[in-house]
Short mmCIF file of all heavy atoms in Angstrom, two decimals:
data_model
loop_
_atom_site.label_atom_id
_atom_site.label_comp_id
_atom_site.label_asym_id
_atom_site.label_seq_id
_atom_site.Cartn_x
_atom_site.Cartn_y
_atom_site.Cartn_z
N MET A 1 8.28 185.20 137.04
CA MET A 1 8.61 183.81 137.32
C MET A 1 7.35 183.09 137.80
O MET A 1 6.60 183.63 138.59
CB MET A 1 9.71 183.76 138.38
CG MET A 1 10.13 182.35 138.72
SD MET A 1 11.52 182.24 139.83
CE MET A 1 12.85 182.58 138.72
N LYS A 2 7.16 181.89 137.34
CA LYS A 2 6.00 181.10 137.74
C LYS A 2 6.30 180.40 139.06
O LYS A 2 7.42 179.92 139.26
CB LYS A 2 5.66 180.09 136.66
CG LYS A 2 5.20 180.75 135.39
CD LYS A 2 4.75 179.77 134.37
CE LYS A 2 4.31 180.55 133.14
NZ LYS A 2 3.80 179.73 132.11
N PRO A 3 5.32 180.31 139.96
CA PRO A 3 5.57 179.72 141.27
C PRO A 3 6.06 178.28 141.22
O PRO A 3 6.89 177.89 142.04
CB PRO A 3 4.23 179.84 142.00
CG PRO A 3 3.22 180.19 140.98
CD PRO A 3 3.94 180.80 139.83
N LYS A 4 5.61 177.50 140.25
CA LYS A 4 6.05 176.09 140.17
C LYS A 4 7.54 175.98 139.86
O LYS A 4 8.17 175.00 140.19
CB LYS A 4 5.24 175.33 139.13
CG LYS A 4 3.82 175.04 139.58
CD LYS A 4 3.10 174.18 138.59
CE LYS A 4 1.70 173.89 139.09
NZ LYS A 4 0.95 173.03 138.21
N LYS A 5 8.09 177.01 139.21
CA LYS A 5 9.51 176.98 138.85
C LYS A 5 10.41 177.50 139.96
O LYS A 5 11.63 177.55 139.82
CB LYS A 5 9.75 177.78 137.58
CG LYS A 5 9.05 177.15 136.39
CD LYS A 5 9.49 177.77 135.10
CE LYS A 5 8.77 177.07 133.96
NZ LYS A 5 9.51 177.03 132.75
N LEU A 6 9.84 177.89 141.10
CA LEU A 6 10.62 178.46 142.20
C LEU A 6 11.33 177.40 143.04
O LEU A 6 12.30 177.72 143.73
CB LEU A 6 9.70 179.28 143.12
CG LEU A 6 9.25 180.62 142.57
CD1 LEU A 6 8.20 181.23 143.48
CD2 LEU A 6 10.43 181.56 142.45
N LEU A 7 10.87 176.16 143.01
CA LEU A 7 11.44 175.12 143.86
C LEU A 7 12.96 175.04 143.68
O LEU A 7 13.45 174.97 142.57
CB LEU A 7 10.79 173.78 143.55
CG LEU A 7 11.16 172.64 144.49
CD1 LEU A 7 10.72 172.96 145.93
CD2 LEU A 7 10.54 171.34 144.04
N LEU A 8 13.67 175.08 144.80
CA LEU A 8 15.12 174.99 144.89
C LEU A 8 15.87 176.20 144.32
O LEU A 8 17.08 176.13 144.11
CB LEU A 8 15.64 173.69 144.27
CG LEU A 8 15.08 172.41 144.90
CD1 LEU A 8 15.64 171.18 144.21
CD2 LEU A 8 15.37 172.35 146.39
N THR A 9 15.15 177.30 144.06
CA THR A 9 15.86 178.51 143.63
C THR A 9 16.50 179.18 144.84
O THR A 9 16.06 179.01 145.98
CB THR A 9 14.92 179.51 142.91
OG1 THR A 9 13.82 179.82 143.76
CG2 THR A 9 14.42 178.94 141.58
N LYS A 10 17.57 179.92 144.60
CA LYS A 10 18.35 180.56 145.66
C LYS A 10 18.02 182.04 145.74
O LYS A 10 17.86 182.69 144.70
CB LYS A 10 19.84 180.38 145.36
CG LYS A 10 20.25 178.94 145.30
CD LYS A 10 21.68 178.80 144.82
CE LYS A 10 22.05 177.33 144.70
NZ LYS A 10 23.37 177.14 144.13
N TRP A 11 17.96 182.56 146.99
CA TRP A 11 17.59 183.96 147.21
C TRP A 11 18.46 184.56 148.31
O TRP A 11 18.84 183.87 149.25
CB TRP A 11 16.12 184.07 147.60
CG TRP A 11 15.24 183.59 146.50
CD1 TRP A 11 14.83 182.32 146.26
CD2 TRP A 11 14.71 184.38 145.44
NE1 TRP A 11 14.08 182.26 145.11
CE2 TRP A 11 13.98 183.51 144.60
CE3 TRP A 11 14.78 185.74 145.12
CZ2 TRP A 11 13.33 183.95 143.45
CZ3 TRP A 11 14.11 186.17 143.98
CH2 TRP A 11 13.41 185.30 143.16
N THR A 12 18.73 185.85 148.19
CA THR A 12 19.47 186.59 149.21
C THR A 12 18.57 187.67 149.77
O THR A 12 17.98 188.44 149.00
CB THR A 12 20.75 187.23 148.61
OG1 THR A 12 21.57 186.18 148.09
CG2 THR A 12 21.51 188.03 149.65
N ALA A 13 18.46 187.70 151.09
CA ALA A 13 17.67 188.75 151.74
C ALA A 13 18.47 190.05 151.70
O ALA A 13 19.65 190.07 152.05
CB ALA A 13 17.37 188.36 153.18
N VAL A 14 17.85 191.13 151.25
CA VAL A 14 18.52 192.43 151.22
C VAL A 14 18.88 192.86 152.64
O VAL A 14 19.99 193.30 152.91
CB VAL A 14 17.63 193.49 150.52
CG1 VAL A 14 18.23 194.88 150.64
CG2 VAL A 14 17.43 193.12 149.05
N LYS A 15 17.93 192.67 153.56
CA LYS A 15 18.19 192.90 154.98
C LYS A 15 18.14 191.54 155.66
O LYS A 15 17.10 190.88 155.60
CB LYS A 15 17.13 193.83 155.59
CG LYS A 15 17.18 195.22 155.02
CD LYS A 15 16.09 196.10 155.59
CE LYS A 15 16.12 197.46 154.90
NZ LYS A 15 14.86 198.15 154.95
N PRO A 16 19.23 191.09 156.28
CA PRO A 16 19.24 189.75 156.88
C PRO A 16 18.05 189.51 157.82
O PRO A 16 17.62 190.40 158.55
CB PRO A 16 20.56 189.72 157.65
CG PRO A 16 21.44 190.66 156.89
CD PRO A 16 20.51 191.77 156.43
N VAL A 17 17.52 188.30 157.76
CA VAL A 17 16.39 187.87 158.58
C VAL A 17 16.95 186.98 159.69
O VAL A 17 17.47 185.91 159.41
CB VAL A 17 15.36 187.08 157.72
CG1 VAL A 17 14.20 186.61 158.57
CG2 VAL A 17 14.89 187.90 156.54
N ASP A 18 16.89 187.44 160.95
CA ASP A 18 17.48 186.69 162.07
C ASP A 18 18.93 186.32 161.79
O ASP A 18 19.34 185.17 161.97
CB ASP A 18 16.65 185.43 162.39
CG ASP A 18 15.25 185.77 162.84
OD1 ASP A 18 15.07 186.81 163.50
OD2 ASP A 18 14.33 184.99 162.55
N LYS A 19 19.68 187.27 161.28
CA LYS A 19 21.10 187.11 160.95
C LYS A 19 21.34 186.13 159.80
O LYS A 19 22.45 185.72 159.55
CB LYS A 19 21.92 186.70 162.17
CG LYS A 19 21.89 187.74 163.28
CD LYS A 19 22.76 187.32 164.43
CE LYS A 19 22.66 188.35 165.54
NZ LYS A 19 23.39 187.94 166.73
N GLN A 20 20.27 185.75 159.11
CA GLN A 20 20.37 184.85 157.96
C GLN A 20 20.22 185.68 156.68
O GLN A 20 19.36 186.55 156.61
CB GLN A 20 19.27 183.79 158.00
CG GLN A 20 19.26 182.96 159.26
CD GLN A 20 20.46 182.05 159.36
OE1 GLN A 20 20.77 181.32 158.42
NE2 GLN A 20 21.13 182.07 160.48
N LYS A 21 21.04 185.36 155.70
CA LYS A 21 21.02 186.13 154.47
C LYS A 21 20.66 185.27 153.25
O LYS A 21 20.01 185.73 152.34
CB LYS A 21 22.40 186.76 154.29
CG LYS A 21 22.50 187.79 153.22
CD LYS A 21 23.86 188.45 153.26
CE LYS A 21 23.99 189.42 152.11
NZ LYS A 21 25.28 190.06 152.09
N HIS A 22 21.11 184.03 153.24
CA HIS A 22 20.91 183.16 152.07
C HIS A 22 19.82 182.13 152.34
O HIS A 22 19.83 181.45 153.35
CB HIS A 22 22.23 182.47 151.70
CG HIS A 22 23.27 183.44 151.29
ND1 HIS A 22 24.45 183.60 151.98
CD2 HIS A 22 23.31 184.35 150.28
CE1 HIS A 22 25.17 184.55 151.40
NE2 HIS A 22 24.49 185.02 150.37
N PHE A 23 18.90 182.05 151.36
CA PHE A 23 17.74 181.16 151.49
C PHE A 23 17.53 180.36 150.21
O PHE A 23 17.99 180.75 149.15
CB PHE A 23 16.48 181.99 151.76
CG PHE A 23 16.49 182.69 153.09
CD1 PHE A 23 17.14 183.90 153.25
CD2 PHE A 23 15.86 182.12 154.19
CE1 PHE A 23 17.16 184.55 154.49
CE2 PHE A 23 15.88 182.76 155.42
CZ PHE A 23 16.53 183.97 155.57
N LEU A 24 16.82 179.25 150.38
CA LEU A 24 16.48 178.36 149.28
C LEU A 24 14.97 178.12 149.36
O LEU A 24 14.44 177.94 150.46
CB LEU A 24 17.23 177.05 149.52
CG LEU A 24 17.31 176.00 148.45
CD1 LEU A 24 18.15 176.53 147.29
CD2 LEU A 24 17.98 174.76 149.02
N VAL A 25 14.30 178.12 148.22
CA VAL A 25 12.87 177.76 148.24
C VAL A 25 12.83 176.24 148.38
O VAL A 25 13.19 175.50 147.47
CB VAL A 25 12.14 178.22 146.96
CG1 VAL A 25 10.70 177.71 146.96
CG2 VAL A 25 12.14 179.74 146.87
N SER A 26 12.42 175.77 149.57
CA SER A 26 12.45 174.34 149.86
C SER A 26 11.15 173.63 149.49
O SER A 26 11.13 172.41 149.36
CB SER A 26 12.77 174.11 151.34
OG SER A 26 11.83 174.77 152.16
N ARG A 27 10.07 174.40 149.35
CA ARG A 27 8.78 173.76 149.05
C ARG A 27 7.83 174.78 148.44
O ARG A 27 7.77 175.91 148.88
CB ARG A 27 8.19 173.22 150.36
CG ARG A 27 6.95 172.39 150.21
CD ARG A 27 6.63 171.59 151.47
NE ARG A 27 6.32 172.44 152.60
CZ ARG A 27 5.11 172.53 153.15
NH1 ARG A 27 4.10 171.85 152.67
NH2 ARG A 27 4.91 173.31 154.19
N VAL A 28 7.11 174.35 147.42
CA VAL A 28 6.01 175.14 146.85
C VAL A 28 4.75 174.54 147.45
O VAL A 28 4.49 173.35 147.29
CB VAL A 28 6.00 175.07 145.31
CG1 VAL A 28 4.77 175.76 144.75
CG2 VAL A 28 7.28 175.68 144.74
N ILE A 29 4.00 175.33 148.19
CA ILE A 29 2.83 174.84 148.90
C ILE A 29 1.61 174.81 147.98
O ILE A 29 1.20 175.85 147.46
CB ILE A 29 2.57 175.68 150.17
CG1 ILE A 29 3.80 175.60 151.08
CG2 ILE A 29 1.30 175.22 150.88
CD1 ILE A 29 3.79 176.54 152.25
N GLN A 30 1.07 173.62 147.80
CA GLN A 30 -0.09 173.45 146.92
C GLN A 30 -1.35 173.93 147.62
O GLN A 30 -1.55 173.65 148.79
CB GLN A 30 -0.25 171.97 146.54
CG GLN A 30 0.95 171.40 145.78
CD GLN A 30 1.22 172.09 144.47
OE1 GLN A 30 0.30 172.46 143.74
NE2 GLN A 30 2.49 172.31 144.16
N PRO A 31 -2.23 174.63 146.90
CA PRO A 31 -3.49 175.08 147.51
C PRO A 31 -4.42 173.89 147.77
O PRO A 31 -4.25 172.82 147.19
CB PRO A 31 -4.08 176.02 146.45
CG PRO A 31 -3.45 175.60 145.18
CD PRO A 31 -2.09 175.04 145.52
N GLU A 32 -5.39 174.10 148.65
CA GLU A 32 -6.34 173.04 148.97
C GLU A 32 -7.11 172.58 147.74
O GLU A 32 -7.33 171.40 147.54
CB GLU A 32 -7.32 173.51 150.06
CG GLU A 32 -6.69 173.57 151.43
CD GLU A 32 -7.70 173.93 152.50
OE1 GLU A 32 -8.90 173.65 152.33
OE2 GLU A 32 -7.26 174.50 153.51
N GLN A 33 -7.53 173.54 146.94
CA GLN A 33 -8.24 173.23 145.70
C GLN A 33 -7.23 173.25 144.55
O GLN A 33 -6.57 174.28 144.34
CB GLN A 33 -9.34 174.26 145.43
CG GLN A 33 -10.40 174.34 146.51
CD GLN A 33 -11.17 173.03 146.66
OE1 GLN A 33 -11.48 172.37 145.68
NE2 GLN A 33 -11.45 172.66 147.90
N PRO A 34 -7.08 172.16 143.82
CA PRO A 34 -6.10 172.12 142.72
C PRO A 34 -6.30 173.22 141.68
O PRO A 34 -5.37 173.58 140.97
CB PRO A 34 -6.30 170.74 142.10
CG PRO A 34 -7.03 169.95 143.12
CD PRO A 34 -7.80 170.92 143.97
N THR A 35 -7.52 173.75 141.59
CA THR A 35 -7.79 174.79 140.59
C THR A 35 -7.37 176.18 141.08
O THR A 35 -7.29 177.11 140.30
CB THR A 35 -9.29 174.82 140.24
OG1 THR A 35 -10.04 174.95 141.44
CG2 THR A 35 -9.71 173.55 139.51
N ASP A 36 -7.11 176.32 142.39
CA ASP A 36 -6.68 177.60 142.94
C ASP A 36 -5.22 177.85 142.59
O ASP A 36 -4.43 176.91 142.48
CB ASP A 36 -6.85 177.63 144.47
CG ASP A 36 -8.31 177.69 144.89
OD1 ASP A 36 -9.17 177.93 144.03
OD2 ASP A 36 -8.57 177.50 146.09
N PRO A 37 -4.84 179.13 142.45
CA PRO A 37 -3.43 179.43 142.15
C PRO A 37 -2.53 179.19 143.35
O PRO A 37 -2.96 179.28 144.51
CB PRO A 37 -3.46 180.92 141.78
CG PRO A 37 -4.67 181.45 142.47
CD PRO A 37 -5.66 180.33 142.53
N ILE A 38 -1.27 178.88 143.08
CA ILE A 38 -0.28 178.73 144.14
C ILE A 38 0.01 180.11 144.71
O ILE A 38 0.24 181.07 143.96
CB ILE A 38 1.00 178.08 143.58
CG1 ILE A 38 0.72 176.63 143.20
CG2 ILE A 38 2.15 178.16 144.59
CD1 ILE A 38 1.82 175.98 142.41
N GLU A 39 -0.02 180.23 146.02
CA GLU A 39 0.23 181.52 146.68
C GLU A 39 1.45 181.49 147.59
O GLU A 39 2.13 182.49 147.74
CB GLU A 39 -0.99 181.93 147.53
CG GLU A 39 -2.23 182.24 146.72
CD GLU A 39 -2.12 183.50 145.88
OE1 GLU A 39 -1.40 184.43 146.28
OE2 GLU A 39 -2.73 183.54 144.81
N LEU A 40 1.73 180.33 148.21
CA LEU A 40 2.75 180.28 149.25
C LEU A 40 3.92 179.36 148.90
O LEU A 40 3.75 178.35 148.22
CB LEU A 40 2.12 179.77 150.56
CG LEU A 40 0.95 180.59 151.10
CD1 LEU A 40 0.31 179.87 152.28
CD2 LEU A 40 1.42 181.97 151.52
N VAL A 41 5.09 179.77 149.38
CA VAL A 41 6.28 178.92 149.29
C VAL A 41 6.95 178.90 150.66
O VAL A 41 6.75 179.80 151.47
CB VAL A 41 7.30 179.42 148.23
CG1 VAL A 41 6.73 179.32 146.83
CG2 VAL A 41 7.79 180.83 148.52
N GLU A 42 7.72 177.86 150.90
CA GLU A 42 8.49 177.76 152.14
C GLU A 42 9.94 178.02 151.78
O GLU A 42 10.47 177.42 150.85
CB GLU A 42 8.33 176.36 152.72
CG GLU A 42 9.05 176.17 154.03
CD GLU A 42 8.84 174.76 154.56
OE1 GLU A 42 9.52 173.84 154.07
OE2 GLU A 42 7.98 174.58 155.44
N ILE A 43 10.55 178.96 152.51
CA ILE A 43 11.97 179.23 152.28
C ILE A 43 12.75 178.69 153.47
O ILE A 43 12.27 178.69 154.61
CB ILE A 43 12.27 180.73 152.06
CG1 ILE A 43 11.80 181.58 153.24
CG2 ILE A 43 11.67 181.20 150.75
CD1 ILE A 43 12.26 183.03 153.16
N GLU A 44 13.96 178.22 153.20
CA GLU A 44 14.81 177.65 154.24
C GLU A 44 16.13 178.40 154.27
O GLU A 44 16.77 178.59 153.24
CB GLU A 44 15.06 176.17 153.92
CG GLU A 44 15.93 175.47 154.91
CD GLU A 44 16.13 174.01 154.55
OE1 GLU A 44 15.12 173.30 154.38
OE2 GLU A 44 17.29 173.60 154.41
N ALA A 45 16.52 178.82 155.48
CA ALA A 45 17.81 179.48 155.63
C ALA A 45 18.90 178.44 155.41
O ALA A 45 18.84 177.34 155.96
CB ALA A 45 17.93 180.08 157.03
N VAL A 46 19.89 178.76 154.60
CA VAL A 46 20.94 177.81 154.25
C VAL A 46 21.77 177.43 155.48
O VAL A 46 22.07 176.26 155.70
CB VAL A 46 21.83 178.39 153.13
CG1 VAL A 46 23.01 177.48 152.85
CG2 VAL A 46 21.00 178.59 151.87
N PHE A 47 22.10 178.40 156.30
CA PHE A 47 22.98 178.15 157.44
C PHE A 47 22.28 177.44 158.59
O PHE A 47 22.73 176.42 159.08
CB PHE A 47 23.60 179.48 157.93
CG PHE A 47 24.57 179.31 159.05
CD1 PHE A 47 25.79 178.69 158.84
CD2 PHE A 47 24.27 179.76 160.32
CE1 PHE A 47 26.69 178.52 159.88
CE2 PHE A 47 25.15 179.60 161.37
CZ PHE A 47 26.37 178.98 161.15
N SER A 48 21.14 177.96 159.02
CA SER A 48 20.47 177.41 160.21
C SER A 48 19.41 176.36 159.90
O SER A 48 18.93 175.69 160.81
CB SER A 48 19.82 178.53 161.00
OG SER A 48 18.69 179.03 160.29
N LYS A 49 18.99 176.25 158.63
CA LYS A 49 17.92 175.35 158.20
C LYS A 49 16.55 175.76 158.74
O LYS A 49 15.59 175.01 158.62
CB LYS A 49 18.20 173.89 158.60
CG LYS A 49 19.52 173.35 158.10
CD LYS A 49 19.53 173.22 156.61
CE LYS A 49 20.84 172.60 156.14
NZ LYS A 49 21.13 172.89 154.78
N ALA A 50 16.44 176.96 159.31
CA ALA A 50 15.14 177.46 159.78
C ALA A 50 14.26 177.71 158.56
O ALA A 50 14.74 178.17 157.52
CB ALA A 50 15.33 178.75 160.57
N THR A 51 12.97 177.41 158.69
CA THR A 51 12.06 177.60 157.57
C THR A 51 11.01 178.66 157.90
O THR A 51 10.71 178.92 159.06
CB THR A 51 11.34 176.29 157.18
OG1 THR A 51 10.60 175.83 158.30
CG2 THR A 51 12.32 175.24 156.72
N LYS A 52 10.47 179.24 156.83
CA LYS A 52 9.47 180.29 156.97
C LYS A 52 8.59 180.23 155.74
O LYS A 52 9.07 179.99 154.63
CB LYS A 52 10.23 181.62 157.06
CG LYS A 52 9.39 182.86 157.08
CD LYS A 52 10.32 184.06 157.20
CE LYS A 52 9.57 185.33 156.89
NZ LYS A 52 10.38 186.51 157.02
N VAL A 53 7.28 180.44 155.91
CA VAL A 53 6.35 180.44 154.78
C VAL A 53 6.07 181.89 154.39
O VAL A 53 5.78 182.73 155.25
CB VAL A 53 5.04 179.71 155.15
CG1 VAL A 53 4.01 179.85 154.03
CG2 VAL A 53 5.31 178.24 155.44
N ILE A 54 6.21 182.17 153.11
CA ILE A 54 5.93 183.52 152.59
C ILE A 54 5.12 183.39 151.31
O ILE A 54 5.04 182.31 150.72
CB ILE A 54 7.24 184.31 152.31
CG1 ILE A 54 8.06 183.63 151.21
CG2 ILE A 54 8.06 184.49 153.57
CD1 ILE A 54 9.23 184.46 150.69
N THR A 55 4.53 184.49 150.87
CA THR A 55 3.86 184.46 149.56
C THR A 55 4.96 184.50 148.50
O THR A 55 5.96 185.20 148.66
CB THR A 55 2.90 185.66 149.37
OG1 THR A 55 3.65 186.86 149.38
CG2 THR A 55 1.83 185.68 150.44
N TRP A 56 4.78 183.76 147.44
CA TRP A 56 5.84 183.70 146.43
C TRP A 56 6.04 185.05 145.76
O TRP A 56 7.13 185.37 145.31
CB TRP A 56 5.57 182.59 145.41
CG TRP A 56 4.47 182.85 144.44
CD1 TRP A 56 3.16 182.51 144.58
CD2 TRP A 56 4.57 183.49 143.17
NE1 TRP A 56 2.44 182.91 143.48
CE2 TRP A 56 3.28 183.51 142.59
CE3 TRP A 56 5.62 184.06 142.46
CZ2 TRP A 56 3.03 184.07 141.34
CZ3 TRP A 56 5.36 184.62 141.21
CH2 TRP A 56 4.08 184.62 140.67
N ARG A 57 5.02 185.89 145.77
CA ARG A 57 5.14 187.21 145.14
C ARG A 57 6.11 188.12 145.92
O ARG A 57 6.65 189.06 145.35
CB ARG A 57 3.77 187.86 145.00
CG ARG A 57 2.90 187.11 144.00
CD ARG A 57 1.58 187.82 143.77
NE ARG A 57 0.65 186.99 143.02
CZ ARG A 57 0.66 186.82 141.71
NH1 ARG A 57 1.58 187.40 140.98
NH2 ARG A 57 -0.24 186.07 141.11
N GLU A 58 6.28 187.84 147.21
CA GLU A 58 7.26 188.62 148.01
C GLU A 58 8.64 188.55 147.38
O GLU A 58 9.42 189.49 147.47
CB GLU A 58 7.35 188.05 149.43
CG GLU A 58 6.55 188.78 150.45
CD GLU A 58 6.77 188.20 151.84
OE1 GLU A 58 7.85 188.41 152.42
OE2 GLU A 58 5.84 187.54 152.34
N LEU A 59 8.97 187.41 146.77
CA LEU A 59 10.30 187.23 146.19
C LEU A 59 10.52 188.17 145.00
O LEU A 59 11.66 188.40 144.61
CB LEU A 59 10.49 185.78 145.75
CG LEU A 59 10.51 184.76 146.88
CD1 LEU A 59 10.52 183.35 146.32
CD2 LEU A 59 11.72 184.98 147.79
N GLN A 60 9.45 188.73 144.45
CA GLN A 60 9.58 189.64 143.31
C GLN A 60 9.91 191.06 143.75
O GLN A 60 10.18 191.91 142.90
CB GLN A 60 8.30 189.62 142.48
CG GLN A 60 8.05 188.27 141.85
CD GLN A 60 6.77 188.23 141.06
OE1 GLN A 60 5.73 188.71 141.51
NE2 GLN A 60 6.83 187.66 139.87
N ASP A 61 9.90 191.33 145.05
CA ASP A 61 10.18 192.67 145.58
C ASP A 61 11.70 192.84 145.72
O ASP A 61 12.31 192.31 146.62
CB ASP A 61 9.48 192.84 146.93
CG ASP A 61 9.60 194.26 147.47
OD1 ASP A 61 10.47 195.03 146.97
OD2 ASP A 61 8.85 194.59 148.40
N ASP A 62 12.29 193.61 144.80
CA ASP A 62 13.74 193.82 144.79
C ASP A 62 14.27 194.53 146.03
O ASP A 62 15.47 194.50 146.30
CB ASP A 62 14.16 194.64 143.56
CG ASP A 62 14.10 193.82 142.28
OD1 ASP A 62 13.98 192.59 142.37
OD2 ASP A 62 14.16 194.43 141.20
N SER A 63 13.38 195.20 146.76
CA SER A 63 13.86 195.89 147.96
C SER A 63 13.99 194.92 149.14
O SER A 63 14.57 195.25 150.16
CB SER A 63 12.90 197.04 148.34
OG SER A 63 11.65 196.53 148.76
N VAL A 64 13.47 193.69 148.97
CA VAL A 64 13.52 192.69 150.04
C VAL A 64 14.38 191.49 149.65
O VAL A 64 15.15 190.98 150.46
CB VAL A 64 12.08 192.22 150.39
CG1 VAL A 64 12.09 191.19 151.51
CG2 VAL A 64 11.22 193.40 150.78
N TRP A 65 14.27 191.03 148.39
CA TRP A 65 14.95 189.82 147.94
C TRP A 65 15.73 190.05 146.64
O TRP A 65 15.29 190.79 145.78
CB TRP A 65 13.95 188.71 147.68
CG TRP A 65 13.22 188.26 148.91
CD1 TRP A 65 11.96 188.62 149.29
CD2 TRP A 65 13.72 187.41 149.94
NE1 TRP A 65 11.66 188.03 150.49
CE2 TRP A 65 12.72 187.28 150.91
CE3 TRP A 65 14.94 186.74 150.13
CZ2 TRP A 65 12.88 186.51 152.06
CZ3 TRP A 65 15.09 185.97 151.27
CH2 TRP A 65 14.07 185.85 152.21
N ARG A 66 16.85 189.36 146.52
CA ARG A 66 17.63 189.31 145.26
C ARG A 66 17.75 187.85 144.87
O ARG A 66 18.04 187.01 145.73
CB ARG A 66 19.04 189.87 145.47
CG ARG A 66 19.06 191.31 145.92
CD ARG A 66 19.25 192.23 144.74
NE ARG A 66 19.58 193.57 145.18
CZ ARG A 66 18.68 194.53 145.31
NH1 ARG A 66 17.43 194.30 145.07
NH2 ARG A 66 19.04 195.73 145.71
N GLN A 67 17.52 187.57 143.60
CA GLN A 67 17.66 186.18 143.16
C GLN A 67 19.12 185.78 143.11
O GLN A 67 19.97 186.56 142.72
CB GLN A 67 17.00 185.96 141.81
CG GLN A 67 16.96 184.48 141.47
CD GLN A 67 16.01 184.16 140.32
OE1 GLN A 67 15.56 185.04 139.62
NE2 GLN A 67 15.72 182.89 140.18
N GLY A 68 19.40 184.57 143.54
CA GLY A 68 20.77 184.05 143.61
C GLY A 68 21.38 184.40 144.96
O GLY A 68 20.75 185.03 145.80
N TRP A 69 22.60 183.91 145.18
CA TRP A 69 23.30 184.21 146.43
C TRP A 69 24.34 185.28 146.13
O TRP A 69 25.33 185.02 145.45
CB TRP A 69 23.95 182.96 147.00
CG TRP A 69 22.93 181.99 147.53
CD1 TRP A 69 21.64 182.27 147.87
CD2 TRP A 69 23.10 180.61 147.76
NE1 TRP A 69 21.01 181.12 148.31
CE2 TRP A 69 21.88 180.09 148.27
CE3 TRP A 69 24.18 179.74 147.61
CZ2 TRP A 69 21.71 178.75 148.61
CZ3 TRP A 69 24.00 178.41 147.95
CH2 TRP A 69 22.78 177.93 148.44
N VAL A 70 24.08 186.47 146.62
CA VAL A 70 24.99 187.60 146.36
C VAL A 70 25.56 188.13 147.65
O VAL A 70 25.05 187.87 148.72
CB VAL A 70 24.29 188.73 145.59
CG1 VAL A 70 24.07 188.30 144.16
CG2 VAL A 70 22.98 189.14 146.22
#
């Protein structure tokens, strides 16, 4: 999956994070240099609205994240 297409995608944490399980990619963080690749995204917990910045590649780890709300 390309990082630009991650915006507003839904994710489920395999192990709940601070009792939160469902997250949404709320922002794709643009690098300082437009020619640099996108590395970071901000995820938002659906229930508490708490946000956290992670590398977008973390979402590809099936042992940590599942795509969609399951």
